[in-house]
Amino acid sequence: MNKPRKLAAGNWKMNGTLAALAELDALLEEGDRDCEVLICPPATLIHPAVARIAGGGIAVGGQDCHAAESGAHTGDLSAAQLADVGADYVIVGHSERRTDHAEDDGAVSAKAAAAHKAGLTAIVCVGETEAQRDSGETLDVIARQLAGSVPEGATAGNTVIAYEPVWAIGTGRTPTTDQIAEVHAALRNALVARFADGAGFRLLYGGSVKPSNAAEIFAIANVDGALVGGASLKAADFGPIVAALDAVG
Ligand code: 13P
């Protein structure tokens, strides 16, 4: 089985208007890479981003989807609607969704299943809070979230796991390399135990990834890329992170 390419994913969160698409031009100018590059802009920019990239080697994804295909869900978007405008990926279960919208593991699993049905690759996020880490619960929390948030039918082709410690998101703080390695090894073991192709799932690290720490993080075993927030907003920051991932091969 060929493992999918490493993945440098940018999550723009609720940032950016049409003017921000100029950053895509700058990323495209850097040319082709060995790793896959993904931008998940706000929903308003998905279609214009796809048009702007015009098949130029950057994938586009959503930041969330509803579990239903259509219906009376004001303000929500279905996975099929994301796919319709050219998205290939969707992030589900980001800690900001889990907190702001009270999404639990069951809801996240249903969203991931909806993504699969629409032909999208789901990026399923897991991660402990600082209090959970301090009380030694990290591996239990991660195991529980992974088991509950990844649906049956997940494969290395349609699912990516992102480990994002809540306390590292947007704080400038990152776990030690040993802490990241420990969680990623636990994720890998759990996936191998549950799925025939568990060894092939890509595992991303997310939380304060920057040009200055990317190479060190990408050298850790079982880290197959990154989910980057703030440093994905500017090509001047995201470009070097992509280059660092390419450099590990
Ligand atoms: P930062 O890179 O801004 O810490 O955000 C990480 C994140 O939440 C990506 O989904």
Side-chain angles (χ1 to χ4, degrees):
M1 178 193 60
N2 285 333
K3 195 164 174 167
R5 287 189 295 161
K6 294 198 173 185
L7 177 62
N11 173 10
W12 284 7
K13 308 190 179 183
M14 199 172 70
N15 297 294
T17 54
L18 288 168
L21 297 176
E23 298 300 325
L24 300 179
D25 301 343
L27 282 177
L28 286 168
E29 273 167 25
E30 293 175 22
D32 284 345
R33 293 107 171 161
D34 294 332
C35 67
E36 200 173 349
V37 181
L38 167 68
I39 295 290
C40 298
T44 51
L45 297 182
I46 293 174
H47 189 238
V50 169
R52 184 94 161 221
I53 290 163
I58 298 176
V60 177
Q63 299 175 10
D64 175 56
C65 66
H66 197 278
E69 276 179 50
S70 62
H73 302 289
T74 303
D76 278 311
L77 288 170
S78 72
Q81 289 172 319
L82 297 174
D84 181 49
V85 292
D88 291 321
Y89 285 83
V90 63
I91 299 168
V92 293
H94 191 282
S95 71
E96 288 148 19
R97 299 285 319 174
R98 290 176 185 263
T99 302
D100 293 358
H101 300 273
E103 294 181 6
D104 60 15
D105 292 336
V108 175
S109 177
K111 287 168 183 248
H116 296 157
K117 196 166 174 201
L120 299 178
T121 298
I123 301 179
V124 179
C125 303
V126 298
E128 82 285 2
T129 64
E130 185 156 34
Q132 288 166 333
R133 178 161 284 278
D134 289 347
S135 61
E137 295 171 73
T138 297
L139 294 184
D140 289 343
V141 168
I142 299 296
R144 191 168 65 235
Q145 289 181 337
L146 187 77
S149 305
V150 178
E152 295 306 321
T155 67
N158 68 17
T159 305
V160 175
I161 309 298
Y163 168 52
E164 298 208 311
V166 178
W167 53 274
I169 295 175
T171 60
R173 299 165 59 204
T174 52
T176 64
T177 53
D178 284 351
Q179 287 171 330
I180 296 174
E182 181 184 42
V183 171
H184 279 238
L187 289 171
R188 178 69 69 208
N189 289 340
L191 289 167
V192 167
R194 181 170 166 201
F195 296 104
D197 61 353
F201 282 58
R202 288 173 291 180
L203 307 181
L204 311 183
Y205 168 77
S208 297
V209 176
K210 305 182 281 270
S212 59
N213 62 19
E216 189 183 14
I217 290 168
F218 294 147
I220 300 169
N222 288 306
V223 173
D224 305 307
L227 182 55
V228 184
S232 71
L233 296 172
K234 296 282 171 214
D237 295 323
F238 197 49
I241 292 172
V242 173
L245 185 59
D246 248 5
V248 295

